[in-house]
Amino acid sequence: MLFRSAKIGIALAPNNFDFQALPFSKACSKGINDGLNVIAQTIGGLFKMFTRETQADVAGPVKIMKMIKDQSSKGIFDLLYLTAILSVNIGLINLMPLPVLDGGRIVFVLLEILFGFINRLAGLKLAITPKVEETIHFAGMLFLLTLLVFVTYKDIMSFF
């Protein structure tokens, strides 16, 4: 399978911000539009990564701290922009349907609703026991911790 040379990750362009005073309503509208653009770009990047349209360039805690240091030396506006991008990325990743994350909990709640609906219609006793849910979340936690160790190791090795 061929990969394009583009990478997914956080990369900031030089400070090309055009600062101007805006009326409150236009400032709110611009803030919402810019926020939605960051969300759309993040979702698009994740989609390209999962469809293998591009290779993933994942940054762990070490690389993120280096990026924060680099952006803070450029100025407050670059640092705030990076903070916004990180917040959107963390929020979207947290909504992924993986055990331990909020998205995984949402899946369990939706399954409970579905099972309750089926139980009322068919008279069955479908349910996810707390032990099964606990086991799934434990496996998810082990997976995420292993991924964290791997990504952190990769970050550290990229400095050498």
Side-chain angles (χ1 to χ4, degrees):
M1 181 171 285
L2 296 174
F3 291 103
R4 294 184 184 168
S5 62
K7 291 185 176 182
I8 294 176
I10 299 173
L12 299 174
N15 187 346
N16 294 328
F17 300 114
D18 180 24
F19 295 106
Q20 53 185 312
L22 295 175
F24 182 74
S25 62
K26 284 189 178 181
C28 288
S29 174
K30 181 165 176 38
I32 291 170
N33 286 335
D34 289 351
L36 291 175
N37 283 338
V38 169
I39 292 170
Q41 289 173 358
T42 302
I43 291 172
L46 287 171
F47 181 76
K48 286 179 181 180
M49 183 180 72
F50 285 123
T51 59
R52 294 183 177 236
E53 192 173 322
T54 187
Q55 289 181 331
D57 183 22
V58 180
V62 174
K63 197 180 258 185
I64 290 172
M65 286 305 297
K66 183 181 181 324
M67 292 165 54
I68 290 171
K69 180 182 175 234
D70 294 344
Q71 294 305 313
S72 66
S73 66
K74 292 180 181 178
I76 187 70
F77 296 108
D78 289 320
L79 182 60
L80 289 174
Y81 187 68
L82 175 64
T83 302
I85 291 173
L86 288 173
S87 295
V88 168
N89 280 309
I90 290 169
L92 290 175
I93 289 171
N94 193 36
L95 288 175
M96 294 177 88
L98 297 172
V100 178
L101 300 178
D102 288 340
R105 182 67 192 131
I106 290 170
V107 168
F108 277 102
V109 168
L110 291 175
L111 284 173
E112 288 176 13
I113 292 170
L114 178 67
F115 288 169
F117 182 71
I118 291 172
N119 289 343
R120 274 184 265 146
L121 285 178
L124 300 173
K125 300 259 182 181
L126 297 175
I128 298 173
T129 65
K131 183 68 176 167
V132 169
E133 186 174 351
E134 179 183 319
T135 303
I136 291 171
H137 285 299
F138 180 75
M141 177 65 91
L142 285 178
F143 170 74
L144 289 178
L145 288 174
T146 303
L147 183 64
L148 177 67
V149 168
F150 174 74
V151 170
T152 303
Y153 174 77
K154 184 180 169 194
D155 283 352
I156 292 170
M157 294 311 291
S158 72
F159 293 125
F160 297 108

